[in-house]
Amino acid sequence: MGPRLRGDNRRFGMSPRHFVDLWKLDAVTLRAIMDDAHARKKARAGWPKGKVDADAPCRDKTLALIFEKNSTRTRFSFDAAMRQLGGSSVIANAGDMQLGRGEEVPDTARVLSRMVDAVMIRANKHEDVQVFAEAASVPVINGLTDASHPCQLMADLMTYEEHRGSLKGRTLAWVGDGNNMCASFIHAAAKFGYTLNIATPSAYAPDRVDLARAAEEKARINLTNDPREAAAGADLILADTWVSMGDTDYDARMKALEPYQVNAALMALAAKDAVFMHCLPAHRGEEVTEEVLDGPASLVWNEAENRIHAQKSVIAWCLAG
Ligand code: CP
Ligand code: NVA
């Protein structure tokens, strides 16, 4: 990655609507995006997947999708979302681009800003997305980094609201690694008004900067090493892989995280009508048992589908700026 350089957007005094981290967006904006997602999904109930929404808010718009890491859901849901919004997308693996041969991130941002209307990036390093956004003159959407996964959060929170109503005053329990997904749940806690219980081994605790910021925002976050304490009475139990893309300490993680499996015994401690979510891909028998993942409390397939619906409203918001 090259030096931080001033981007076209700065030079012309314009500020595109980036969707890089939830903590940077205010609660009213996030609520508006979420309400739009619910409304758009309802309005097209029963329609063929490829049919364009009646208002086609992204007609004549193009979204670039850049992947530096593997993806199934993010890749297909962004493409499907853009089609439903009436626009089109161009997908590339970063390794196939000149980025893979060392072209600087800001230069790539400037070039793509002349060719497309918005860019989604899945990157190894969060800083690369920030640098890209600084140099771009079009909106930039974070499609997952080592530090956060805000689009997945929008889909997850939308799914909870669909099945159980408002998140205000609810208790969510994160069990496992204090990773990028956990970070985004921390970022959204104050915005959506839920309490977040987090159970991790000390070696895999959440990022301190995220926790400090959340404390400033008066988010209700409780940390523990005990998964049972986190799950007790919770309305939503959350799990993710113990080994994220880019993690290299596989054996240490498997050992430290073994007591953090979400299984029927843990689910039994949660509220009576508690639900289970996982951003996927899942590893049955590791972070979650087959019984829970494929059981009646699991919303994982709805959650995966909602990647399309939630992201449509993220893209539409970015492009309406
Ligand atoms: N949940 C998620 O982002 O899935 P992919 O890695 O398949 O995109
Ligand atoms: N924490 C996981 C999420 C995958 C969608 C990872 O970063 O690999």
Side-chain angles (χ1 to χ4, degrees), residues 100-114:
R101 295 181 60 249
E103 183 167 15
E104 292 185 5
V105 171
D107 289 351
T108 308
R110 293 190 187 98
V111 170
L112 289 189
S113 295
R114 302 290 181 104

Side-chain angles (χ1 to χ4, degrees), residues 69-70 73-74 122 144-146 149 152 174 177 179-182 240-241 243-247 279-281 307:
K69 305 192 196 202
N70 296 54
R73 280 144 288 269
T74 305
R122 168 166 287 195
L144 181 147
T145 68
D146 55 343
H149 196 2
Q152 180 72 52
W174 177 267
D177 179 21
N179 63 11
N180 47 3
M181 279 296 303
C182 179
D240 187 13
T241 181
V243 186
S244 285
M245 293 180 278
D247 286 339
C279 65
L280 304 177
R307 291 295 301 278

